[in-house]
Amino acid sequence: MKILIVTGRFGMGHYSAAEALREELLLETPRPDVEVVDAVEALFPAFRGIVYHCFNFLVSHLSGLFNHLSRMADKRQISMFEGLLTKMIDRFLKSREPDVVIVVLPGCSHYLAACRRATGRSFVLFTLLTDVTLHGSWIEADIDRYFVPAEATRQALIRRGVPEHLITVRGIPVRQSFLALAPRPLVRQAGAPASILFMGGGLGLLPSSDNLLRRLIETPGVELTLIAGRNKALYKKIKKKFPQIRVVGFTHQVAAYMSQSDLLITKPGGITMFEAIHSQTPLYVNKPFLIQEAGNAAWIEAMGIGVVHWDDTRDPAQDILRLLDNDAQLAAMKQSMKTLSEQYRHVPPLTSYAVKQEKKTASME
């Protein structure tokens, strides 16, 4: 079985989820042939850098405009250059001949479905959502199945007219290293230091970040780790300004760092939420400024797996330290995460749905 996972690097969440899904699929029996495809790179290789640079600038510096455009696109599906893109997609698919295409990027499902209708290709088409918040750009009438992060997402799709039997709740895929973690105790060992992990850029997550870091490292019994990823400027800045903080660059050991932490301070991105769930690391997130992250943050609170800093007038350092001292609240969050993790681990293999769909299609022909 040849499977294409179509994604993009509009933020790394979609691509990370696609890579995690590839890991998951390669463990199945029989083992499928799985390829992750960057849609922008595949169709517009010469413009890839410009497209992603413009997107990053829009999100980072013009978030209000991004949210406005996102709301417009949510209300009305915009299908630009459908005829041209259908031909380009068809040429690409001819070079791969997939049995299954899994879309892990909003907006792509429509064009792949249009290509399938126009050419008569017989591949199975799935969509896997990477945010709890539903956006209209994920929805397409001609989809064989939707895989969604949460029950709230399933209900939102049903309200938008998607048949209930076409929706499966299965969480967001995470790397196998998160699923291999040993169960952790619900309560921190007496006398052990409280370990805080910063991710998602570290600074800029909360108001007055320098002051926050200073307050936390000056608190006895608190240890800080910051994963700067590929942000070399941030790595150097924190190393120089806060030598007491353990600063980590790009690493494949994120699961280990999360599992050793008592609290994760980060943005409410979809895949980060589910990595935290599987590592049972309670979350503390700042008031989000992007629409999809606001919905994710609300879900974090609703599921009891973290705290959201909604009120900018509150002192985040005080809130964080108070939370670290509340063993009962942290234990409740870990227990909620454990329950969710166990639910998501018991979903059927994704390829089983593909086989069922292929048999259904063959019987109709």
Side-chain angles (χ1 to χ4, degrees):
M1 180 182 291
K2 172 67 177 180
I3 300 177
L4 284 186
I5 304 175
V6 179
T7 187
R9 290 180 169 88
F10 295 98
M12 286 308 295
H14 301 119
Y15 203 89
S16 296
E19 288 286 356
L21 180 59
R22 179 178 181 274
E23 277 191 6
E24 176 186 319
L25 290 169
L26 290 177
L27 293 174
E28 297 184 4
T29 304
R31 178 173 171 171
D33 175 12
V34 188
E35 180 183 358
V36 174
V37 176
D38 181 325
V40 177
E41 187 171 2
L43 300 180
F44 310 103
F47 299 99
R48 173 183 173 276
I50 296 173
V51 170
Y52 287 136
H53 175 76
C54 291
F55 173 81
N56 291 334
F57 182 86
L58 181 64
V59 171
S60 301
H61 302 285
L62 299 170
S63 59
L65 176 60
F66 174 85
N67 287 334
H68 175 69
L69 294 174
S70 181
R71 290 189 189 96
M72 291 177 60
D74 184 36
K75 294 177 181 178
R76 179 185 176 188
Q77 189 177 65
I78 302 173
S79 303
M80 299 177 64
F81 310 112
E82 183 174 308
L84 173 62
L85 286 173
T86 295
K87 292 178 181 178
M88 294 174 70
I89 291 170
D90 183 48
R91 285 197 297 269
F92 179 79
L93 293 179
K94 280 182 180 178
S95 68
R96 300 301 197 275
E97 295 295 343
D99 301 297
V100 182
V101 177
I102 306 171
V103 178
V104 192
L105 187 69
C108 283
S109 296
H110 173 77
Y111 294 102
L112 281 155
C115 177
R116 188 168 64 170
R117 287 191 297 268
T119 63
R121 290 187 173 276
S122 59
F123 59 86
V124 176
L125 183 56
F126 291 154
T127 294
L128 188 145
L129 280 69
T130 54
D131 284 301
V132 172
T133 311
L134 176 64
H135 191 277
S137 58
W138 289 104
I139 302 174
E140 159 61 36
D142 191 19
I143 295 294
D144 296 313
R145 184 166 291 273
Y146 292 87
F147 297 97
V148 301
E151 177 62 24
T153 323
R154 189 179 79 91
Q155 292 298 331
L157 276 172
I158 293 171
R159 288 195 295 271
R160 296 255 191 143
V162 176
E164 186 173 352
H165 69 278
L166 295 182
I167 311 169
T168 298
V169 178
R170 72 179 320 273
I172 296 174
V174 298
R175 295 280 191 175
Q176 293 300 304
S177 55
F178 286 91
L179 302 179
L181 292 170
R184 60 189 302 183
L186 295 181
V187 179
R188 185 169 69 247
Q189 185 178 359
S195 177
I196 300 175
L197 177 64
F198 279 80
M199 284 183 59
L203 300 183
L205 295 177
L206 295 165
S208 305
S209 292
D210 281 9
N211 181 57
L212 169 66
L213 294 176
R214 191 173 293 108
R215 293 268 302 278
L216 293 176
I217 61 178
E218 290 174 352
T219 302
V222 174
E223 296 179 348
L224 268 64
T225 300
L226 188 148
I227 298 180
R230 291 189 169 89
N231 190 336
K232 295 180 180 179
L234 175 63
Y235 181 94
K236 293 178 180 178
K237 175 183 177 180
I238 300 301
K239 271 280 191 183
K240 181 178 180 180
K241 201 168 187 177
F242 301 101
Q244 307 95 319
I245 298 176
R246 178 170 56 171
V247 187
V248 181
F250 178 78
T251 176
H252 292 292
Q253 305 302 316
V254 175
Y257 282 109
M258 279 198 192
S259 68
Q260 296 162 9
S261 302
D262 299 298
L263 188 66
L264 171 60
I265 300 177
T266 187
K267 299 194 302 178
I271 194 163
T272 302
M273 289 193 311
F274 278 81
E275 289 173 345
I277 287 170
H278 289 292
S279 64
Q280 296 174 40
T281 311
L283 289 154
Y284 185 91
V285 301
N286 188 36
K287 180 181 179 180
F289 55 88
L290 297 179
I291 291 176
Q292 68 273 20
E293 292 184 349
N296 291 342
W299 185 77
I300 286 171
E301 281 194 328
M303 302 308 294
I305 59 175
V307 171
V308 181
H309 181 81
W310 295 108
D311 186 355
D312 293 336
T313 64
R314 292 183 61 86
D315 179 3
Q318 188 177 59
D319 284 348
I320 291 167
L321 293 172
R322 186 181 296 118
L323 178 58
L324 286 172
D325 283 337
N326 193 331
D327 288 341
Q329 187 175 5
L330 290 174
M333 291 178 183
K334 291 178 185 177
Q335 182 59 57
S336 296
M337 288 175 152
K338 181 180 179 182
T339 301
L340 285 171
S341 178
E342 290 173 349
Q343 291 174 0
Y344 294 129
R345 287 169 186 264
H346 289 91
V347 296
L350 192 145
T351 49
S352 68
Y353 294 98
V355 171
K356 290 178 184 177
Q357 183 62 37
E358 286 179 329
K359 290 180 178 178
K360 177 181 177 182
T361 302
S363 67
M364 294 172 63
E365 292 176 348

